[in-house]
PDB file of all heavy atoms in Angstrom:
ATOM      1  N   VAL A1034     -69.077 128.397 -35.808  1.00  0.00           N
ATOM      2  CA  VAL A1034     -68.135 128.516 -34.696  1.00  0.00           C
ATOM      3  C   VAL A1034     -67.988 129.986 -34.315  1.00  0.00           C
ATOM      4  O   VAL A1034     -67.607 130.812 -35.138  1.00  0.00           O
ATOM      5  CB  VAL A1034     -66.756 127.938 -35.086  1.00  0.00           C
ATOM      6  CG1 VAL A1034     -65.777 128.078 -33.953  1.00  0.00           C
ATOM      7  CG2 VAL A1034     -66.886 126.492 -35.519  1.00  0.00           C
ATOM      8  N   ASP A1035     -68.328 130.313 -33.060  1.00  0.00           N
ATOM      9  CA  ASP A1035     -68.222 131.696 -32.594  1.00  0.00           C
ATOM     10  C   ASP A1035     -66.849 132.003 -32.000  1.00  0.00           C
ATOM     11  O   ASP A1035     -66.335 133.097 -32.153  1.00  0.00           O
ATOM     12  CB  ASP A1035     -69.313 131.998 -31.563  1.00  0.00           C
ATOM     13  CG  ASP A1035     -70.702 132.021 -32.190  1.00  0.00           C
ATOM     14  OD1 ASP A1035     -70.819 132.390 -33.371  1.00  0.00           O
ATOM     15  OD2 ASP A1035     -71.662 131.654 -31.496  1.00  0.00           O
ATOM     16  N   SER A1036     -66.276 131.036 -31.300  1.00  0.00           N
ATOM     17  CA  SER A1036     -64.954 131.244 -30.715  1.00  0.00           C
ATOM     18  C   SER A1036     -64.210 129.919 -30.651  1.00  0.00           C
ATOM     19  O   SER A1036     -64.825 128.855 -30.622  1.00  0.00           O
ATOM     20  CB  SER A1036     -65.067 131.838 -29.301  1.00  0.00           C
ATOM     21  OG  SER A1036     -65.503 130.859 -28.387  1.00  0.00           O
ATOM     22  N   VAL A1037     -62.900 130.022 -30.633  1.00  0.00           N
ATOM     23  CA  VAL A1037     -62.075 128.820 -30.567  1.00  0.00           C
ATOM     24  C   VAL A1037     -62.349 128.067 -29.261  1.00  0.00           C
ATOM     25  O   VAL A1037     -62.484 126.843 -29.265  1.00  0.00           O
ATOM     26  CB  VAL A1037     -60.574 129.181 -30.694  1.00  0.00           C
ATOM     27  CG1 VAL A1037     -59.696 127.977 -30.419  1.00  0.00           C
ATOM     28  CG2 VAL A1037     -60.294 129.752 -32.077  1.00  0.00           C
ATOM     29  N   GLN A1038     -62.456 128.785 -28.159  1.00  0.00           N
ATOM     30  CA  GLN A1038     -62.697 128.135 -26.865  1.00  0.00           C
ATOM     31  C   GLN A1038     -64.031 127.394 -26.856  1.00  0.00           C
ATOM     32  O   GLN A1038     -64.124 126.281 -26.356  1.00  0.00           O
ATOM     33  CB  GLN A1038     -62.640 129.152 -25.717  1.00  0.00           C
ATOM     34  CG  GLN A1038     -62.720 128.519 -24.347  1.00  0.00           C
ATOM     35  CD  GLN A1038     -61.627 127.486 -24.101  1.00  0.00           C
ATOM     36  OE1 GLN A1038     -60.471 127.667 -24.481  1.00  0.00           O
ATOM     37  NE2 GLN A1038     -61.987 126.374 -23.478  1.00  0.00           N
ATOM     38  N   GLN A1039     -65.054 128.014 -27.423  1.00  0.00           N
ATOM     39  CA  GLN A1039     -66.371 127.372 -27.496  1.00  0.00           C
ATOM     40  C   GLN A1039     -66.292 126.105 -28.343  1.00  0.00           C
ATOM     41  O   GLN A1039     -66.870 125.077 -27.987  1.00  0.00           O
ATOM     42  CB  GLN A1039     -67.390 128.341 -28.097  1.00  0.00           C
ATOM     43  CG  GLN A1039     -68.784 127.764 -28.227  1.00  0.00           C
ATOM     44  CD  GLN A1039     -69.729 128.713 -28.959  1.00  0.00           C
ATOM     45  OE1 GLN A1039     -69.333 129.772 -29.435  1.00  0.00           O
ATOM     46  NE2 GLN A1039     -70.974 128.326 -29.047  1.00  0.00           N
ATOM     47  N   ARG A1040     -65.565 126.169 -29.450  1.00  0.00           N
ATOM     48  CA  ARG A1040     -65.414 124.994 -30.322  1.00  0.00           C
ATOM     49  C   ARG A1040     -64.658 123.888 -29.593  1.00  0.00           C
ATOM     50  O   ARG A1040     -65.029 122.718 -29.684  1.00  0.00           O
ATOM     51  CB  ARG A1040     -64.697 125.397 -31.614  1.00  0.00           C
ATOM     52  CG  ARG A1040     -64.536 124.269 -32.603  1.00  0.00           C
ATOM     53  CD  ARG A1040     -65.851 123.795 -33.143  1.00  0.00           C
ATOM     54  NE  ARG A1040     -65.643 122.690 -34.080  1.00  0.00           N
ATOM     55  CZ  ARG A1040     -66.598 122.158 -34.802  1.00  0.00           C
ATOM     56  NH1 ARG A1040     -67.833 122.612 -34.717  1.00  0.00           N
ATOM     57  NH2 ARG A1040     -66.341 121.164 -35.609  1.00  0.00           N
ATOM     58  N   ILE A1041     -63.618 124.226 -28.864  1.00  0.00           N
ATOM     59  CA  ILE A1041     -62.855 123.225 -28.103  1.00  0.00           C
ATOM     60  C   ILE A1041     -63.772 122.537 -27.092  1.00  0.00           C
ATOM     61  O   ILE A1041     -63.756 121.313 -26.967  1.00  0.00           O
ATOM     62  CB  ILE A1041     -61.625 123.875 -27.415  1.00  0.00           C
ATOM     63  CG1 ILE A1041     -60.574 124.207 -28.468  1.00  0.00           C
ATOM     64  CG2 ILE A1041     -61.049 122.964 -26.332  1.00  0.00           C
ATOM     65  CD1 ILE A1041     -59.390 125.018 -27.952  1.00  0.00           C
ATOM     66  N   GLU A1042     -64.582 123.306 -26.384  1.00  0.00           N
ATOM     67  CA  GLU A1042     -65.508 122.722 -25.406  1.00  0.00           C
ATOM     68  C   GLU A1042     -66.523 121.807 -26.079  1.00  0.00           C
ATOM     69  O   GLU A1042     -66.832 120.726 -25.566  1.00  0.00           O
ATOM     70  CB  GLU A1042     -66.220 123.838 -24.631  1.00  0.00           C
ATOM     71  CG  GLU A1042     -65.304 124.579 -23.681  1.00  0.00           C
ATOM     72  CD  GLU A1042     -65.913 125.852 -23.105  1.00  0.00           C
ATOM     73  OE1 GLU A1042     -67.119 126.121 -23.322  1.00  0.00           O
ATOM     74  OE2 GLU A1042     -65.166 126.594 -22.438  1.00  0.00           O
ATOM     75  N   SER A1043     -67.023 122.208 -27.240  1.00  0.00           N
ATOM     76  CA  SER A1043     -67.974 121.371 -27.985  1.00  0.00           C
ATOM     77  C   SER A1043     -67.318 120.065 -28.416  1.00  0.00           C
ATOM     78  O   SER A1043     -67.917 118.991 -28.309  1.00  0.00           O
ATOM     79  CB  SER A1043     -68.486 122.106 -29.228  1.00  0.00           C
ATOM     80  OG  SER A1043     -69.229 123.231 -28.883  1.00  0.00           O
ATOM     81  N   LEU A1044     -66.100 120.157 -28.910  1.00  0.00           N
ATOM     82  CA  LEU A1044     -65.375 118.961 -29.346  1.00  0.00           C
ATOM     83  C   LEU A1044     -65.107 118.019 -28.174  1.00  0.00           C
ATOM     84  O   LEU A1044     -65.247 116.791 -28.310  1.00  0.00           O
ATOM     85  CB  LEU A1044     -64.056 119.358 -30.021  1.00  0.00           C
ATOM     86  CG  LEU A1044     -64.178 120.077 -31.356  1.00  0.00           C
ATOM     87  CD1 LEU A1044     -62.849 120.712 -31.746  1.00  0.00           C
ATOM     88  CD2 LEU A1044     -64.668 119.135 -32.441  1.00  0.00           C
ATOM     89  N   GLU A1045     -64.728 118.580 -27.035  1.00  0.00           N
ATOM     90  CA  GLU A1045     -64.461 117.745 -25.855  1.00  0.00           C
ATOM     91  C   GLU A1045     -65.729 117.050 -25.369  1.00  0.00           C
ATOM     92  O   GLU A1045     -65.703 115.873 -25.013  1.00  0.00           O
ATOM     93  CB  GLU A1045     -63.840 118.590 -24.744  1.00  0.00           C
ATOM     94  CG  GLU A1045     -62.413 118.993 -25.050  1.00  0.00           C
ATOM     95  CD  GLU A1045     -61.830 119.981 -24.065  1.00  0.00           C
ATOM     96  OE1 GLU A1045     -62.600 120.665 -23.343  1.00  0.00           O
ATOM     97  OE2 GLU A1045     -60.588 120.091 -24.019  1.00  0.00           O
ATOM     98  N   ARG A1046     -66.866 117.768 -25.357  1.00  0.00           N
ATOM     99  CA  ARG A1046     -68.149 117.171 -24.973  1.00  0.00           C
ATOM    100  C   ARG A1046     -68.522 116.043 -25.930  1.00  0.00           C
ATOM    101  O   ARG A1046     -68.945 114.970 -25.526  1.00  0.00           O
ATOM    102  CB  ARG A1046     -69.256 118.224 -24.975  1.00  0.00           C
ATOM    103  CG  ARG A1046     -69.667 118.712 -23.629  1.00  0.00           C
ATOM    104  CD  ARG A1046     -70.936 119.551 -23.664  1.00  0.00           C
ATOM    105  NE  ARG A1046     -71.043 120.527 -24.730  1.00  0.00           N
ATOM    106  CZ  ARG A1046     -70.524 121.749 -24.710  1.00  0.00           C
ATOM    107  NH1 ARG A1046     -69.836 122.151 -23.654  1.00  0.00           N
ATOM    108  NH2 ARG A1046     -70.670 122.585 -25.719  1.00  0.00           N
ATOM    109  N   ALA A1047     -68.357 116.317 -27.215  1.00  0.00           N
ATOM    110  CA  ALA A1047     -68.688 115.312 -28.228  1.00  0.00           C
ATOM    111  C   ALA A1047     -67.830 114.065 -28.050  1.00  0.00           C
ATOM    112  O   ALA A1047     -68.326 112.938 -28.143  1.00  0.00           O
ATOM    113  CB  ALA A1047     -68.491 115.891 -29.624  1.00  0.00           C
ATOM    114  N   LYS A1048     -66.579 114.263 -27.752  1.00  0.00           N
ATOM    115  CA  LYS A1048     -65.669 113.118 -27.590  1.00  0.00           C
ATOM    116  C   LYS A1048     -66.080 112.250 -26.409  1.00  0.00           C
ATOM    117  O   LYS A1048     -66.065 111.019 -26.501  1.00  0.00           O
ATOM    118  CB  LYS A1048     -64.228 113.598 -27.432  1.00  0.00           C
ATOM    119  CG  LYS A1048     -63.248 112.454 -27.470  1.00  0.00           C
ATOM    120  CD  LYS A1048     -61.833 112.915 -27.550  1.00  0.00           C
ATOM    121  CE  LYS A1048     -60.953 111.677 -27.557  1.00  0.00           C
ATOM    122  NZ  LYS A1048     -59.612 111.940 -27.158  1.00  0.00           N
ATOM    123  N   VAL A1049     -66.476 112.863 -25.307  1.00  0.00           N
ATOM    124  CA  VAL A1049     -66.937 112.104 -24.134  1.00  0.00           C
ATOM    125  C   VAL A1049     -68.161 111.261 -24.503  1.00  0.00           C
ATOM    126  O   VAL A1049     -68.247 110.078 -24.161  1.00  0.00           O
ATOM    127  CB  VAL A1049     -67.250 113.046 -22.950  1.00  0.00           C
ATOM    128  CG1 VAL A1049     -67.988 112.326 -21.842  1.00  0.00           C
ATOM    129  CG2 VAL A1049     -65.971 113.665 -22.423  1.00  0.00           C
ATOM    130  N   ILE A1050     -69.100 111.859 -25.230  1.00  0.00           N
ATOM    131  CA  ILE A1050     -70.317 111.137 -25.621  1.00  0.00           C
ATOM    132  C   ILE A1050     -69.982 109.996 -26.569  1.00  0.00           C
ATOM    133  O   ILE A1050     -70.447 108.871 -26.394  1.00  0.00           O
ATOM    134  CB  ILE A1050     -71.346 112.108 -26.258  1.00  0.00           C
ATOM    135  CG1 ILE A1050     -71.877 113.054 -25.179  1.00  0.00           C
ATOM    136  CG2 ILE A1050     -72.489 111.341 -26.919  1.00  0.00           C
ATOM    137  CD1 ILE A1050     -72.701 114.213 -25.719  1.00  0.00           C
TER     138      ILE A1050
END
Side-chain angles (χ1 to χ4, degrees):
V1034 179
D1035 291 329
S1036 74
V1037 171
Q1038 187 57 40
Q1039 179 186 4
R1040 182 66 181 187
I1041 288 172
E1042 290 169 7
S1043 295
L1044 292 166
E1045 288 172 340
R1046 257 191 317 276
K1048 189 170 179 201
V1049 168
I1050 291 170

